[in-house]
Amino acid sequence: MKMKARCAPCLLNRVLFESSLVTKDEKKMSYVMENVLKKMAEIYSDKKSSAEIATEIHGYAYGLLGSKDPYKNLKEKSNEIALQLVPKAKEFIEKSEDKLKASILCSIAGNSIDFGIAGSASKPEELASKFEEYIKQGLYHDDVDEIKKYLKGSVLYFTDNCGEIVFDKLVCEILKEYNIHLTLVCKRYPILTDATYDDVKKLGFEEVVDEIITTGKFAVGIDFYGISEKLKRKLQEANLIICKGMANYEAFSEANYRPIAYLMRIKCQSIAEAMELPAGINVAKLYK
């Protein structure tokens, strides 16, 4: 997805949010924002992808803040609260006629957490209060039956945020009931609230997937120039690519990998316009 005008203030608001996680010193926050504004002016272009610009801006802000992981405590809290909701999610899945669809809906409800973005949960505790509400909304766009037709051979599952990763494990458990080789792809380095290799190992994903690999370079979504030859080959050979969250859509929509399924809650107008869907909905959309 290309950068849009409204993406600039959204990105700056997120930098302000992550700055507040690291320091309460107004002078330091002003210093960070002043320099980030200059950097934004240098690199902004509607010809670049939003993920590419966001990667550069966040990397620069992390350097100014002197922090490799500003969201560390929020990520841990998000996982903690999500784990408390697992019994409720499992009960919902077990009572559902379509267990894969039910598990996907739980993982999308978890995708409501995206700190520092308007229209998403602002603190981990909101997931607990809104989880059932988002599940009851169901899938506004539902391609799950079509997605099932591609569940054979090699399937890649790209994770998104901590918190929702807990429910992704439930999805992976059910995906493995199909005759597939399931590879989980997570972040190598901390960026925003995204789940890293350490996060998925702590949650025991090696019990439910065939393989765990990382995206490589520090990047919002994925930097296709920084991935390993192994991941490049897997992307080319996959029978299906499953992507969680908006950042993965921003990156993958600039590439031509198919078939690809996006599972997310649409939380911004730019993504909504790009996907030709409303904002504030749950989506399982397949691009063949």
Side-chain angles (χ1 to χ4, degrees):
M1 188 184 81
K2 296 297 187 222
M3 190 76 174
K4 296 189 176 183
R6 70 166 71 89
C7 298
C10 179
L11 181 51
L12 292 171
N13 273 329
R14 192 147 204 195
V15 171
L16 180 61
F17 179 80
E18 64 201 31
S19 298
S20 71
L21 297 176
V22 176
T23 181
K24 302 304 177 188
D25 185 335
E26 284 292 334
K27 287 186 176 179
K28 184 166 185 177
M29 291 172 71
S30 292
Y31 168 78
V32 170
M33 293 307 296
E34 177 184 352
N35 283 277
V36 166
L37 281 164
K38 290 176 182 176
K39 174 64 74 173
M40 179 76 87
E42 290 174 11
I43 69 172
Y44 180 89
S45 170
D46 61 5
K47 295 177 176 60
K48 292 183 179 179
S49 79
S50 52
E52 179 186 356
I53 290 180
T55 296
E56 192 165 347
I57 290 296
H58 286 300
Y60 185 63
Y62 280 25
L64 293 172
L65 288 164
S67 174
K68 292 183 178 180
D69 193 2
Y71 294 84
K72 186 176 186 295
N73 292 336
L74 279 178
K75 291 191 295 183
E76 291 174 355
K77 187 66 175 177
S78 296
N79 280 346
E80 178 186 319
I81 288 174
L83 285 167
Q84 294 170 8
L85 293 168
V86 166
K88 188 177 292 185
K90 285 186 172 180
E91 182 182 6
F92 171 72
I93 293 167
E94 285 303 314
K95 289 181 178 178
S96 300
E97 291 183 9
D98 189 328
K99 290 180 171 50
L100 179 59
K101 186 178 294 188
S103 66
I104 286 172
L105 190 51
C106 288
S107 76
I108 291 173
N111 186 241
S112 63
I113 293 182
D114 223 340
F115 305 110
I117 292 179
S120 68
S122 59
K123 53 186 179 180
E125 290 76 10
E126 284 188 39
L127 175 59
S129 63
K130 294 185 177 180
F131 186 72
E132 288 186 67
E133 175 191 335
Y134 290 144
I135 285 177
K136 286 177 182 176
Q137 289 176 11
L139 292 171
Y140 182 96
H141 186 97
D142 180 2
D143 283 342
V144 175
D145 287 340
E146 283 296 305
I147 290 169
K148 288 177 183 176
K149 296 176 183 178
Y150 293 88
L151 292 177
K152 53 188 175 182
S154 174
V155 175
L156 304 184
Y157 193 107
F158 283 79
T159 63
D160 189 29
N161 299 324
C162 285
E164 71 180 274
I165 191 76
V166 170
F167 307 108
D168 289 329
K169 187 179 179 184
L170 302 180
V171 179
C172 290
E173 287 176 354
I174 295 171
L175 284 173
K176 278 301 294 174
E177 294 176 6
Y178 294 78
N179 186 27
I180 64 171
H181 181 280
L182 183 58
T183 301
L184 191 83
V185 189
C186 58
K187 293 294 190 294
R188 180 178 179 183
Y189 301 106
I191 184 166
L192 303 176
T193 52
D194 289 7
T196 64
Y197 183 79
D198 287 342
D199 295 317
V200 302
K201 288 288 284 184
K202 285 177 185 175
L203 291 170
F205 267 85
E206 67 276 5
E207 301 165 4
V208 297
V209 301
D210 296 294
E211 191 175 11
I212 303 170
I213 58 178
T214 71
T215 52
K217 283 181 68 175
F218 175 96
V220 171
I222 181 171
D223 179 348
F224 293 106
Y225 296 102
I227 62 176
S228 65
E229 288 300 317
K230 179 179 182 178
L231 180 53
K232 192 179 297 183
R233 185 176 67 253
K234 281 184 167 291
L235 281 166
Q236 292 166 347
E237 297 173 353
N239 293 87
L240 177 67
I241 299 164
I242 299 173
C243 286
K244 286 295 301 298
M246 296 194 300
N248 279 324
Y249 174 82
E250 290 176 66
F252 271 95
S253 59
E254 292 290 302
N256 294 310
Y257 293 109
R258 297 288 189 277
I260 187 165
Y262 295 107
L263 312 179
M264 73 177 86
R265 185 167 179 85
I266 297 180
K267 292 163 285 193
C268 87
Q269 194 59 38
S270 295
I271 298 283
E273 289 172 0
M275 298 188 80
E276 299 181 335
L277 290 166
I281 60 166
N282 301 323
V283 173
K285 187 168 184 178
L286 176 69
Y287 292 79
K288 299 179 182 180

